[in-house]
Amino acid sequence: MDQVTGAVPTELPASAPPEAPARKPALRPRNAATLIILDRTRRIPRILMGRRHPGLAFMPGKFVFPGGRIEPCDRHMTVAGALSARASDALAVRVPRGGNGLGRALALAAIRETYEETGLLLGTREYGPPETTPAGTWDAFRAAAVMPDLESLRFIARAVTPPGRARRFDTRFFAADRTAIAHEVPGIVSAESELVELAWVTFVEARALDLPRITRVILDDLEIQVRGGFAPYLPIPYYYERSGKPQRETL
């Protein structure tokens, strides 16, 4: 019987190349809207800001403007007044096909999210309550006999969260005067809610708070708008990132 000891093959099999790590698909930004409420009854304007719950995964403890992503119900809510032509045109720039009505829905999302986070209902009672409302949050507007009024909103900026973040939003920033508040529901803000504190602050006071970076940028744009009386010729900036470099366009 033949015995083979320590046999070595004459040819070694070619080693397989290491597998490249799977690249995660780019996270598509979600359409979102934010509403900045201004109190201009005094010589120095004040802005409404809220502090996020410290236990939240996204921007814990930061001071922000009320807002959030668009919901399907926002496309079906009745309104009392329309956005200005300037706002509508700017909201339609750089949007994908099928974006008809997106600007209107974003403005309504800003109003709805503001109510959900602060208890403030922006709109008018001049026309009575909406005859019908989509199921959910908008029922509160009918109960309070408040019709959301888009005419009171100004579109001031747009910003897209840079790639690589855990959450990405394509956010449109609107501004409205405190006089647009038609009703307030108490008890929305508490130690257990998304916003645990509300504060009316000046621009100087706001910049001293713990803010997200983009919020600081938008404060500068807002201050320009306030000083210019929200004139239609003022620029509406659009912030995003391309190849790792921050970009600023004008809508």
Side-chain angles (χ1 to χ4, degrees):
M1 181 176 65
D2 294 332
Q3 184 176 5
V4 180
T5 306
V8 178
T10 57
E11 293 185 5
L12 294 175
S15 59
E19 293 185 4
R23 179 177 295 180
K24 293 183 179 180
L27 191 63
R28 183 176 180 180
R30 293 187 173 186
N31 285 313
T34 289
L35 184 55
I36 309 167
I37 305 178
L38 287 158
D39 183 352
R40 294 184 285 175
T41 59
R42 306 180 188 180
R43 183 178 62 87
I44 301 177
R46 283 170 166 74
I47 315 149
L48 182 64
M49 302 200 74
R51 184 166 64 89
R52 288 175 59 81
H53 194 287
L56 294 173
F58 185 64
M59 295 192 297
K62 298 282 187 181
F63 275 87
V64 298
F65 308 121
R69 67 187 184 188
I70 193 173
E71 298 289 351
C73 62
D74 300 326
R75 294 183 178 272
H76 306 290
M77 183 59 190
T78 306
V79 298
L83 291 165
S84 69
R86 172 71 175 108
S88 296
D89 291 345
L91 285 162
V93 176
R94 300 285 296 271
V95 298
R97 292 182 179 180
N100 295 336
L102 178 60
R104 179 184 183 278
L106 284 162
L108 281 163
I111 293 176
R112 174 186 51 75
E113 286 283 344
T114 296
Y115 163 67
E116 291 179 351
E117 295 180 7
T118 69
L120 301 176
L121 286 78
L122 274 78
T124 178
R125 282 183 161 144
E126 292 184 6
Y127 306 100
E131 292 185 5
T132 60
T133 56
T137 297
W138 289 114
D139 289 339
F141 284 74
R142 182 170 56 181
V146 174
M147 187 89 75
D149 185 4
L150 304 190
E151 192 173 349
S152 64
L153 271 59
R154 283 94 167 188
F155 178 41
I156 66 165
R158 177 181 177 183
V160 179
T161 309
R165 306 295 172 85
R167 296 182 184 181
R168 297 189 69 205
F169 297 99
D170 187 346
T171 304
R172 283 70 163 190
F173 293 82
F174 296 89
D177 200 84
R178 188 173 186 172
T179 56
I181 299 173
H183 184 65
E184 180 176 357
V185 176
I188 299 294
V189 177
S190 70
E192 303 303 322
S193 59
E194 183 174 343
L195 295 183
V196 298
E197 174 189 354
L198 292 179
W200 291 96
V201 294
T202 66
F203 282 96
V204 172
E205 292 168 340
R207 292 185 175 100
L209 299 173
D210 185 9
L211 305 175
R213 185 189 63 82
I214 188 59
T215 303
R216 293 188 181 277
V217 174
I218 299 300
L219 278 173
D220 294 339
D221 296 316
L222 176 64
E223 194 164 21
I224 292 171
Q225 290 279 354
V226 171
R227 290 176 177 173
F230 292 97
Y233 57 78
L234 291 172
I236 299 176
Y238 172 31
Y239 300 99
Y240 63 98
E241 190 174 288
R242 176 187 292 162
S243 302
K245 297 181 179 180
Q247 308 290 322
R248 184 186 188 275
E249 294 183 9
T250 299
L251 299 174

